[in-house]
Amino acid sequence: MNMIKKGFALLIVFGFFVACNEDGDKEKVSPKIVSFDTDQNSSLMFQDNEAVAVMTSDSRAYNIAQIIRVKTVDTKNIEVSNFAPFDIENATILATIEGKGQVQLFKIKKIRAHATQSMKYPFVDGTDLFLSSDNKEIDLSQYKTTGVDPGKISFDFTGDSEIILKLKKLQALKWTISYYDYDPNNDPNNNWEPIKAKDIRRFSGLMLNMGIVFVSDKFKQAFLKEQIIGNDGTTALTLAEKEKVYNDILTHSRFYCGKCTNVSGLGGGTTLGYADYILNGYISTDEGDITVHEIGHCVGFNHDSNMTYPKTINNVSTGISPVMTRINKEFFSGGLFIVTLQNYYKPADFQ
């Protein structure tokens, strides 16, 4: 009887150590950590020596909600790019694989501003076990040899830093951002001028700052309360019509961003252009009238509507431009913008 008891006790102890080992193994499963913070592990986009054709190519288009863009190169390789003009730290790249769900693919310790780099999938490059988004183990060893069909995987990023939490608010926007040279021949007879790397770098920050205002509840509520006049110049939009306009701004599909001259801005449909003083000034001033004026054109309004130029109604300047200017002041005073002179990676761009 004593031997049975001893054997049973040993079995319990053995089981306890096995359980501890199993739990210990699970604790060791964690995403691979990578960095793209030097010339040795990444290159930079939108630099002064880069060809305009490259900077304005389709490969450089990105969705503003996916400012850290991960795209497939082939079944075993991906490209990771940061389209923000500031460094981003401690981001987790998530991959949703058909039949597997969402996994924490890898962590980025740091990716510098406008950096890009290709890399192998971690499951091709030696890692088998991954964690799901709710920290359960997922075995991806089946893809080690074959890789993943590019049509069966998609990507996102997450993190808990202040800057990443701000960037995640942009998920409400559907904007694809492209840069475009509207004046490749430097024609003095039009209102465009050739786009340069410096223009694109500044533009990338302007779109982020404008976007974070649009998605804010402060802007939404102020806009819906504003008296907005339609294209006939006299009829005020109903609340339902204003809600549709606001949604049209958020879901506008694409902006081809360029550099204009002689005028402050040009916009309509997918065309969006700003003059140098706009690209140079948004980082340090609270004015927002010109930037949003062109957005008004992009969502279908003409100069008779105060979705472009303000209208004075009952001695009060009304329209989307006054709303944007008021909210911009609050964002500046509250330090709520995404891009600032403190985090922008080439402050000399604004001198």
Side-chain angles (χ1 to χ4, degrees):
M1 187 67 177
N2 289 338
M3 292 295 293
I4 294 175
K5 288 182 178 179
K6 288 181 179 179
F8 184 66
L10 287 171
L11 181 61
I12 292 175
V13 172
F14 177 74
F16 174 76
F17 279 114
V18 169
C20 284
N21 286 338
E22 288 176 350
D23 289 344
D25 289 342
K26 289 181 180 179
E27 290 176 359
K28 292 178 183 177
V29 176
S30 59
K32 179 179 180 180
I33 299 176
V34 300
S35 287
F36 307 107
D37 56 349
T38 69
D39 289 338
Q40 286 67 48
N41 58 31
S42 60
S43 57
L44 294 181
M45 305 177 288
F46 310 130
Q47 302 306 295
D48 295 335
N49 60 352
E50 191 169 44
V52 171
V54 174
M55 295 188 289
T56 58
S57 66
D58 286 342
S59 66
R60 292 291 177 81
Y62 61 98
N63 189 293
I64 197 169
Q66 295 294 324
I67 207 71
I68 300 178
R69 187 191 70 184
V70 181
K71 70 174 186 177
T72 57
V73 175
D74 52 40
T75 59
K76 295 184 178 182
N77 296 276
I78 53 177
E79 179 188 83
V80 185
S81 305
N82 175 14
F83 285 90
F86 51 79
D87 301 343
I88 299 176
E89 298 180 352
N90 300 321
T92 298
I93 300 301
L94 306 173
T96 301
I97 305 173
E98 186 177 302
K100 289 290 186 179
Q102 191 176 68
V103 301
Q104 300 175 46
L105 192 60
F106 58 91
K107 288 182 180 291
I108 298 176
K109 184 177 180 181
K110 179 179 178 180
I111 181 168
R112 55 187 177 153
H114 289 158
T116 186
Q117 181 65 29
S118 294
M119 61 176 281
K120 289 186 179 298
Y121 281 114
F123 48 73
V124 171
D125 203 21
T127 305
D128 292 337
L129 295 179
F130 292 77
L131 294 177
S132 66
S133 54
D134 56 356
N135 291 317
K136 294 180 180 178
E137 285 187 7
I138 298 179
D139 188 341
L140 299 183
S141 59
Q142 70 186 82
Y143 303 112
K144 187 177 294 292
T145 302
T146 62
V148 178
D149 182 339
K152 296 182 178 180
I153 188 169
S154 60
F155 306 95
D156 198 358
F157 71 93
T158 188
D160 55 12
S161 69
E162 181 181 357
I163 197 70
I164 290 178
L165 293 176
K166 286 182 179 180
L167 290 170
K168 294 304 291 182
K169 291 180 181 179
L170 300 179
Q171 285 186 319
L173 300 174
K174 306 305 178 187
W175 304 349
T176 293
I177 308 296
S178 299
Y179 300 104
Y180 195 81
D181 189 358
Y182 288 98
D183 188 24
N185 298 317
N186 199 12
D187 183 353
N189 297 313
N190 64 31
N191 288 326
W192 296 99
E193 62 179 72
I195 197 166
K196 300 176 182 178
K198 175 182 175 180
D199 305 323
I200 291 174
R201 294 194 296 265
R202 291 179 296 172
F203 227 127
S204 70
L206 184 154
M207 297 303 285
L208 286 170
N209 279 3
M210 187 161 56
I212 198 65
V213 173
F214 278 137
V215 301
S216 70
D217 190 60
K218 287 177 179 289
F219 178 87
K220 179 180 180 181
Q221 295 307 318
F223 177 75
L224 295 180
K225 290 177 182 178
E226 192 79 354
Q227 187 168 356
I228 301 297
I229 305 301
N231 282 334
D232 64 1
T234 58
T235 305
L237 301 189
T238 65
L239 177 60
E241 288 171 331
K242 288 188 287 186
E243 288 174 337
K244 181 183 182 302
V245 172
Y246 177 71
N247 187 63
D248 287 346
I249 292 172
L250 300 190
T251 61
H252 196 75
S253 61
R254 195 172 192 121
F255 292 106
Y256 285 99
C257 301
K259 176 80 172 295
C260 59
T261 187
N262 302 321
V263 293
S264 297
L266 292 168
T270 59
T271 298
L272 184 63
Y274 295 116
D276 188 73
Y277 84 93
I278 300 295
L279 295 177
N280 213 52
Y282 77 88
I283 199 81
S284 57
T285 65
D286 54 19
E287 299 300 322
D289 54 339
I290 299 299
T291 54
V292 79
H293 173 110
E294 303 308 335
I295 298 298
H297 283 315
C298 289
V299 295
F301 289 91
N302 61 29
H303 284 167
D304 291 326
S305 167
N306 63 355
M307 280 294 293
T308 55
Y309 288 119
K311 286 183 176 294
T312 300
I313 301 174
N314 297 325
N315 296 319
V316 177
S317 180
T318 64
I320 193 171
S321 292
V323 170
M324 176 63 89
T325 298
R326 294 199 303 269
I327 304 304
N328 267 9
K329 290 180 185 295
E330 293 186 33
F331 269 66
F332 267 106
S333 63
L336 302 178
F337 279 117
I338 294 179
V339 185
T340 68
L341 276 175
Q342 288 69 45
N343 68 10
Y344 187 91
Y345 75 126
K346 288 180 179 290
D349 282 350
F350 295 101
Q351 295 175 3

